[in-house]
């Protein structure tokens, strides 16, 4: 079983003309890469979760901006800017909740607007490629730092610790290392035997990112790994086997409320009841200081078939029944022990803590408040 750290989730092709993505819909049974260079194919890859996880879709958004801009057949800068704006808006429409997608597109667009008067279109294309590469490189370092802070928490709990996680916020969800699974990778780098950790992965209905991706990552790293149906989390927590919970996030509001994969808020509520520390792992790009609270976060609603049919041999709900399928939920900041960023761990009151770390609102060209 290939250690997932050896797999690239998203990279630019050697000729710099397309994006190579690990197709995560096929994991863990098949490890296959796809190459995309058309706007519709990139949009589909993000929408269908071939590439998924907030930081990984951020990197994909940045490369999409560059690859599609690079194809534009114009030397007129005004025309180039107009077309890039359309690219940004189209790619951003693929998934609404994870802020990293719009964050990366906004960052690419800021570079364009700031430097358009001092560059030719050809020079600008090179500059955009460099920026997209920088976003990916930075993501690796950010994830490592989150892992280091998370590992310090594991060290305090000691070897033999039980860790619970929900969905997949591992190396597959980022450029490398992951956020919620990074502490375990860093523990191994620091000499811990993988068997010093027991990881409980919620399977994460309906798309099974926990069973298919987190369990694969942790098992391939040699860690003592368990998959549980989502409704078993309470049983495991009550058993006393869980010392800490690490989850990822798709968007954190200024007050510390955060959106993550559907089911996360239930895990947090149970953790509070049993007194288990509950940590959110968040690159600062996931913290959206333009939103005061989680009430402002738009929640992606997905197809009914993901609940009624997918993974089953035959349909498992009556025809015509109503279906609820939000992809994310918002967890109240009062349930959060701490938010682990690459700059340190934020504690309540979160807004002040973020501001002290220098995390501030960023300029938005897409995903503006009025678009929500
Ligand atoms: O729908 P997904 O698979 O993209 O959802 C992923 C999650 O909810 C992750 O926890 C989150 O994006 C953080 S990934 C570091």
């Amino acid at each position: 079983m290939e250690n997932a750290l050896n797999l690239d989730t998203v990279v630019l092709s050697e000729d710099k003309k397309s994006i190579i993505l690990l197709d995560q819909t096929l994991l863990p049974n098949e490890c296959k890469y796809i190459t995309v260079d058309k706007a519709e194919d990139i949009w589909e890859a993000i929408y269908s979760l071939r590439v998924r996880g907030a930081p990984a879709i951020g990197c994909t958004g940045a490369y999409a901006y560059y690859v599609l801009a690079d194809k534009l057949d114009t030397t007129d800068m005004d025309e180039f800017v107009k077309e890039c704006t359309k690219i940004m808006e189209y790619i951003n429409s693929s998934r609404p909740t994870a802020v990293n997608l719009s964050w990366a597109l906004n960052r690419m667009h800021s570079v364009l607007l700031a430097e358009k008067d001092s560059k030719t279109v050809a020079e600008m294309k090179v500059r955009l490629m460099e920026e997209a590469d920088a976003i990916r490189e930075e993501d690796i370092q950010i994830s490592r730092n989150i892992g280091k802070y998370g590992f310090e928490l594991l060290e305090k709990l000691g070897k033999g610790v039980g860790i619970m996680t929900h969905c997949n916020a591992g190396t597959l969800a980022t450029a490398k290392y992951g956020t919620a699974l990074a502490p375990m990778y860093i523990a191994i780098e620091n000499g811990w035997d993988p068997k010093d950790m027991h990881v409980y992965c919620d399977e994460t209905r309906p798309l099974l990112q926990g069973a298919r991706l987190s369990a694969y990552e942790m098992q391939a790293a040699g860690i003592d790994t368990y998959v549980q149906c989502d409704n078993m989390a309470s049983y495991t927590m009550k058993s006393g086997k869980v010392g800490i919970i690490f989850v990822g996030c798709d968007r954190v509001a200024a007050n510390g409320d955060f959106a993550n994969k559907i089911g996360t808020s239930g895990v947090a509520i149970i953790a509070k009841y049993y007194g288990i520390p509950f940590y959110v792992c968040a690159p600062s790009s996931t913290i959206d200081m333009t939103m005061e609270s989680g009430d402002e976060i738009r929640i992606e609603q997905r197809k009914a078939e993901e609940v009624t049919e997918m993974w089953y041999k035959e349909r498992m709900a009556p025809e015509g029944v109503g279906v609820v399928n939000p992809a994310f939920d918002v967890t109240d900041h009062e349930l959060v022990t701490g938010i682990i960023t690459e700059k340190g761990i934020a504690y309540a009151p979160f807004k002040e803590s973020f501001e002290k770390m220098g995390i501030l609102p960023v300029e938005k060209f897409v995903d503006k408040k009025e678009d929500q």
Side-chain angles (χ1 to χ4, degrees):
M1 201 182 235
E2 176 81 30
N3 188 320
L5 284 181
N6 299 331
L7 303 174
D8 280 326
T9 48
V10 41
V11 283
L12 195 58
S13 63
E14 236 171 85
D15 67 2
K16 318 283 186 205
K17 298 282 178 207
S18 42
I19 313 172
I20 302 176
L21 299 170
L22 175 64
D23 187 345
Q24 300 190 32
T25 61
L26 305 174
L27 287 171
N29 300 323
E30 202 182 332
C31 188
K32 190 180 150 202
Y33 284 88
I34 54 168
T35 303
V36 283
D37 67 351
K38 292 186 187 60
E40 295 72 25
D41 294 343
I42 299 170
W43 192 97
E44 192 278 339
I46 298 173
Y47 176 77
S48 303
L49 276 62
R50 298 185 196 287
V51 59
R52 31 72 48 206
I57 61 174
C59 296
T60 308
Y63 279 132
Y65 191 112
Y66 156 68
V67 164
L68 299 173
D70 187 50
K71 280 178 192 285
L72 295 173
D73 187 18
T74 179
T75 51
D76 179 74
M77 187 55 89
D78 290 339
E79 177 68 13
F80 186 71
V81 172
K82 210 169 103 195
E83 291 305 313
C84 283
T85 308
K86 285 189 204 156
I87 290 169
M88 170 178 69
E89 286 166 355
Y90 176 66
I91 295 297
N92 191 55
S93 69
S94 54
R95 292 196 82 187
T97 303
V99 71
N100 302 60
L101 179 60
S102 59
W103 171 87
L105 292 164
N106 281 318
R107 178 163 152 180
M108 296 291 286
H109 204 61
S110 304
V111 168
L112 174 64
L113 296 188
E115 300 180 26
K116 71 181 170 56
D117 297 331
S118 59
K119 285 191 168 55
T120 63
V121 167
E123 287 166 344
M124 185 56 82
K125 288 177 175 178
V126 176
R127 178 68 186 87
L128 290 172
M129 182 184 73
E130 288 167 356
E131 192 67 14
D133 277 338
I135 288 174
R136 183 177 177 279
E137 281 307 309
E138 285 168 25
D139 189 55
I140 298 174
Q141 203 46 55
I142 286 168
S143 296
R144 269 192 70 83
N145 283 348
I146 289 173
K148 282 185 195 165
Y149 287 116
F151 174 52
E152 284 173 15
L153 298 172
L154 293 183
E155 276 185 308
K156 283 185 195 146
L157 292 164
K159 291 181 178 174
V161 60
I163 304 140
M164 190 178 282
T165 191
H166 189 79
C167 192
N168 172 263
T171 193
L172 296 167
T174 61
K176 194 167 179 164
Y177 292 108
T179 59
L181 303 188
M184 285 70 101
Y185 287 123
I186 300 296
I188 295 168
E189 279 187 15
N190 277 272
W192 276 33
D193 188 309
K195 297 288 178 232
D196 289 334
M197 295 171 281
H198 312 284
V199 175
Y200 298 89
C201 306
D202 284 347
E203 68 172 351
T204 318
R205 286 274 297 151
L207 297 182
L208 307 183
Q209 291 94 328
R212 294 188 302 107
L213 308 177
S214 292
Y216 159 57
E217 281 196 36
M218 294 290 90
Q219 193 181 32
I223 292 169
D224 184 39
T225 305
Y226 301 84
V227 173
Q228 59 191 8
C229 300
D230 299 330
N231 54 5
M232 297 166 190
S234 172
Y235 169 91
T236 311
M237 284 194 237
K238 189 175 181 178
S239 74
K241 289 180 179 161
V242 182
I244 194 163
I245 296 169
F246 289 134
V247 295
C249 58
D250 287 82
R251 192 184 297 245
V252 184
N255 71 345
D257 293 351
F258 73 99
N260 191 47
K261 180 53 53 193
I262 190 72
T264 302
S265 66
V267 174
I269 291 164
I270 300 166
K272 181 91 171 175
Y273 184 80
Y274 288 114
I276 299 170
F278 180 92
Y279 284 89
V280 183
C281 301
S284 55
S285 53
T286 308
I287 300 168
D288 186 347
M289 295 294 277
T290 70
M291 294 195 170
E292 285 300 323
S293 81
D295 294 344
E296 294 173 50
I297 301 176
R298 190 171 142 207
I299 298 295
E300 176 184 356
Q301 305 290 328
R302 293 186 63 91
K303 286 188 290 200
E305 293 72 31
E306 290 179 352
V307 175
T308 55
E309 290 171 34
M310 210 167 167
W311 317 113
Y312 297 127
K313 272 196 186 141
E314 54 189 279
R315 191 182 161 91
M316 278 294 150
E319 288 288 351
V321 73
V323 173
V324 180
N325 188 15
F328 302 95
D329 60 21
V330 173
T331 300
D332 195 290
H333 64 274
E334 286 176 0
L335 300 169
V336 175
T337 310
I339 301 181
I340 309 176
T341 78
E342 75 276 16
K343 297 165 191 271
I345 306 182
Y347 293 99
F350 290 106
K351 191 172 181 192
E352 276 173 47
S353 201
F354 294 150
E355 282 167 350
K356 274 193 201 132
M357 289 176 175
I359 301 170
L360 302 166
V362 291
E363 192 177 7
K364 288 184 171 185
F365 306 99
V366 279
D367 189 49
K368 290 173 286 193
K369 223 168 200 169
E370 53 270 30
D371 300 339
Q372 298 301 311

